[in-house]
Amino acid sequence: MLKVCKFGGTSMANAENFGKVKSIITAENERKFVVVSAPGKRDKSDIKITDLLYKCYDDVISIGSCHDTFKLIRDRFTEIVKDLGLNFDIESVLDETEKGIDAEKTTPDFAASRGEYLSARVMAEYLGYTFVDAADLIRFDSNGNLNAVYTDDKIKTKLSGIENVVIPGFYGKDSFGKIKTFSRGGSDVTGSIIAKGVSADLYENWTDVSGFLVCDPRIVPEAQIIDTLSYSELRELSYMGASVLHAEAIFPLITSKIPINIRNTFRPQDKGTMIVPTEHGYNPDKVITGIAGKKNFSVISIEKSLMNNEVGFIRKVLSVVEHYGLCVEHVPSGIDTLSVILSSEELKNGVLDDVVREIRESVAPDYIHVIENVALIATVGHGMARRSGTASKIFTALAEANVNIKMIDQGSSEQNIIIGVAGSDYEKCIRTIYNAFFGA
Ligand code: ADP
Ligand code: ASP
Ligand code: MG
């Protein structure tokens, strides 16, 4: 049994947590490949190293040097090395890193990646494992997407024959050889890529919660742990905002069907959540698996009598959206109505007004209006397709809680029901759905 273990930000936050990581790794000699994140917050008021590194880049652009902000990073790593009692010249590595950040003025990626780089250097030293740089393994293509074939090949050649390796998460190199990062939380993706590359039997993702919970514990503190989740349920939940695992972390694992086990570094005795290939993930007794959501969407709602008879109507509306390079989140439709749901973030700086004007010109609707500050909430579960009454249970509970539903969309796979509510009802809506299915 070969395991790849990824440790997240809280697991790397200070020397004490490094100690917990070491006991987990040494408890089983199957844990041969370790992927680490940058140190996260030590407490609620702390700042993540990655956030400080983005600030370093901004400082370089605005005042020409990251020296002052980098001092905070320097102090964190120096303290960790000192508290671990390591005889490791971290100062030279930090000097070189600071120089590198000062010199890179085109993108923040190099700066942002250094938290993982430094964390992996220290962890390798502490475990007595070999450090292998992700820059030598992970490659992006000229469109910025992962070059999966090249990367897999590199991992196979560079890591074959070596065991007990520490690899920094979150970054690789682009096609010009420059450091490029994944999106935030991307060390989860690195873990998956390494697990596939070394043909691991299991990818353990160690974090600060005892598994994937039915919903965000910051909204429902008593949320139950999901024992088994399928790849596709995970995809729906993480895309819709369940931030425990990066939404793209399953892609590298799909063909080789490697399961992911979410575990808690601070409660290693808990068995956590198993995320398994979809065909192995169906539990017929469970109606819904999880609830997740995101805030800050805009709904452009279009009405036109006999819209359904007008050939090309939907295409014309979506062409306008495409013309502005916007990603469509959902397109719920009725006979004479069509709504387009978009992330409000992408509609800033006058884009929304331009899109509405062009839709007006393109399809001459009877009525067009925009609802802002909408939250989307997905209730996810394979079991839904085989049970009737799930939707009515959700809607009855929300009606009793006085939550006004602005939009409903159900995927054709019948494994999710997505509803739109006012942003101010977001937390209440999640709590209400949770109580309807999991409450006492
Ligand atoms: P790491 O730094 O280990 O990668 P993250 O902060 O990225 O950890 O993810 C873990 C956090 O995800 C938890 O502390 C929790 O607050 C949050 N979270 C959001 N939704 C969920 C969920 N459904 N289940 C578990 N944790 C969740
Ligand atoms: N350190 C990076 C971030 O904060 C990547 C990660 O933690 O996965 O987003
Ligand atoms: Mg994470």
Side-chain angles (χ1 to χ4, degrees):
M1 178 93 157
L2 177 63
K3 296 182 181 177
V4 167
C5 304
K6 178 258 169 180
F7 291 87
T10 319
S11 313
M12 307 296 294
N14 55 25
E16 190 189 336
N17 296 359
F18 268 62
K20 294 187 194 305
V21 169
K22 186 175 187 168
S23 358
I24 290 166
I25 292 168
T26 50
E28 282 185 20
N29 64 8
E30 299 165 334
R31 297 184 171 131
K32 295 195 188 304
F33 294 92
V34 179
V35 174
V36 294
S37 280
K41 295 180 180 191
R42 288 161 293 188
D43 54 57
K44 273 211 168 109
S45 61
D46 204 6
I47 309 176
K48 280 180 133 189
I49 290 288
T50 309
D51 293 324
L52 289 172
L53 286 161
Y54 280 111
K55 167 108 180 24
C56 283
Y57 175 75
D58 292 342
D59 288 356
V60 171
I61 298 304
S62 58
I63 53 175
S65 155
C66 68
H67 189 73
D68 291 348
T69 305
F70 194 77
K71 172 83 172 57
L72 301 169
I73 296 165
R74 184 179 284 280
D75 291 349
R76 278 289 282 285
F77 280 101
T78 318
E79 185 178 298
I80 292 174
V81 169
K82 185 174 136 273
D83 291 351
L84 291 175
L86 294 178
N87 181 16
F88 174 51
D89 183 12
I90 187 76
E91 284 299 334
S92 315
V93 184
L94 288 163
D95 290 344
E96 202 186 311
T97 304
E98 183 177 339
K99 249 192 244 155
I101 295 175
D102 275 347
E104 174 53 61
K105 299 190 171 62
T106 45
T107 76
D109 291 37
F110 176 77
S113 72
R114 294 303 88 185
E116 274 61 19
Y117 173 80
L118 293 165
S119 198
R121 290 289 305 266
V122 177
M123 186 53 92
E125 206 58 36
Y126 180 49
L127 295 173
Y129 277 26
T130 309
F131 167 82
V132 177
D133 197 346
D136 299 327
L137 303 175
I138 294 178
R139 188 62 68 97
F140 295 91
D141 64 20
S142 51
N143 297 319
N145 299 318
L146 176 74
N147 183 337
V149 174
Y150 184 98
T151 299
D152 205 48
D153 199 49
K154 272 275 174 232
I155 294 175
K156 289 198 161 51
T157 47
K158 294 245 175 199
L159 297 185
S160 80
I162 27 175
E163 288 187 339
N164 301 345
V165 172
V166 180
I167 301 155
F170 192 37
Y171 70 93
K173 264 187 190 166
D174 69 12
S175 54
F176 300 103
K178 286 185 65 160
I179 295 290
K180 177 174 162 54
T181 65
F182 292 102
S183 55
R184 295 301 301 266
S187 301
D188 291 332
V189 184
T190 309
S192 297
I193 293 170
I194 302 295
K196 174 178 186 339
V198 301
S199 304
D201 299 291
L202 182 65
Y203 169 24
E204 287 181 345
N205 189 291
W206 292 84
T207 181
D208 57 1
V209 274
S210 287
F212 211 108
L213 306 175
V214 169
C215 56
D216 190 333
R218 288 163 296 191
I219 301 174
V220 180
E222 73 278 15
Q224 291 177 15
I225 296 169
I226 304 172
D227 55 348
T228 311
L229 194 64
S230 75
Y231 282 173
S232 66
E233 288 172 328
L234 166 77
R235 173 93 184 112
E236 303 266 4
L237 289 167
S238 54
Y239 178 76
M240 281 304 289
S243 57
V244 62
L245 199 69
H246 192 289
E248 286 157 32
I250 51 155
F251 292 121
L253 305 175
I254 290 176
T255 47
S256 34
K257 302 187 191 296
I258 300 168
I260 309 175
N261 187 196
I262 307 281
R263 298 286 293 266
N264 189 346
T265 304
F266 307 94
R267 287 188 55 88
Q269 68 276 24
D270 294 351
K271 64 184 182 32
T273 298
M274 286 299 290
I275 301 167
V276 297
T278 299
E279 62 273 28
H280 303 154
Y282 176 63
N283 171 355
D285 298 331
K286 202 162 52 177
V287 183
I288 73 163
T289 306
I291 308 153
K294 290 197 272 198
K295 284 182 172 176
N296 213 13
F297 290 94
S298 302
V299 181
I300 303 178
S301 183
I302 303 157
E303 290 180 29
K304 187 172 186 184
S305 300
L306 300 175
M307 158 194 300
N308 59 326
N309 290 343
E310 201 176 315
V311 175
F313 189 93
I314 297 181
R315 179 187 53 75
K316 284 184 205 156
V317 171
L318 294 183
S319 303
V320 174
V321 174
E322 182 184 353
H323 173 75
Y324 283 88
L326 306 170
C327 294
V328 176
E329 205 70 27
H330 292 280
V331 194
S333 63
I335 305 170
D336 294 328
T337 61
L338 175 75
S339 297
V340 185
I341 303 180
L342 303 159
S343 157
S344 309
E345 203 47 41
E346 299 191 44
L347 295 169
K348 282 184 183 158
N349 304 325
V351 174
L352 177 61
D353 291 343
D354 290 347
V355 170
V356 169
R357 182 180 32 77
E358 272 199 36
I359 292 178
R360 238 190 219 118
E361 287 166 8
S362 172
V363 297
D366 299 336
Y367 185 59
I368 179 164
H369 71 124
V370 177
I371 315 169
E372 300 227 58
N373 195 15
V374 170
L376 297 180
I377 289 147
T379 306
V380 174
H382 287 300
M384 257 188 238
R386 320 201 173 187
R387 295 278 181 99
S388 53
T390 314
S392 79
K393 193 163 174 177
I394 296 175
F395 302 140
T396 308
L398 291 174
E400 279 167 8
N402 274 326
V403 174
N404 178 22
I405 300 172
K406 296 181 181 299
M407 184 277 301
I408 301 167
D409 201 4
Q410 179 166 30
S412 53
S413 63
E414 284 187 64
Q415 64 167 6
N416 64 7
I417 294 174
I418 295 178
I419 54 172
V421 299
S424 53
D425 279 338
Y426 174 71
E427 283 84 4
K428 184 175 174 190
C429 180
I430 291 194
R431 266 196 300 272
T432 304
I433 301 175
Y434 181 86
N435 286 335
F437 289 90
F438 298 90

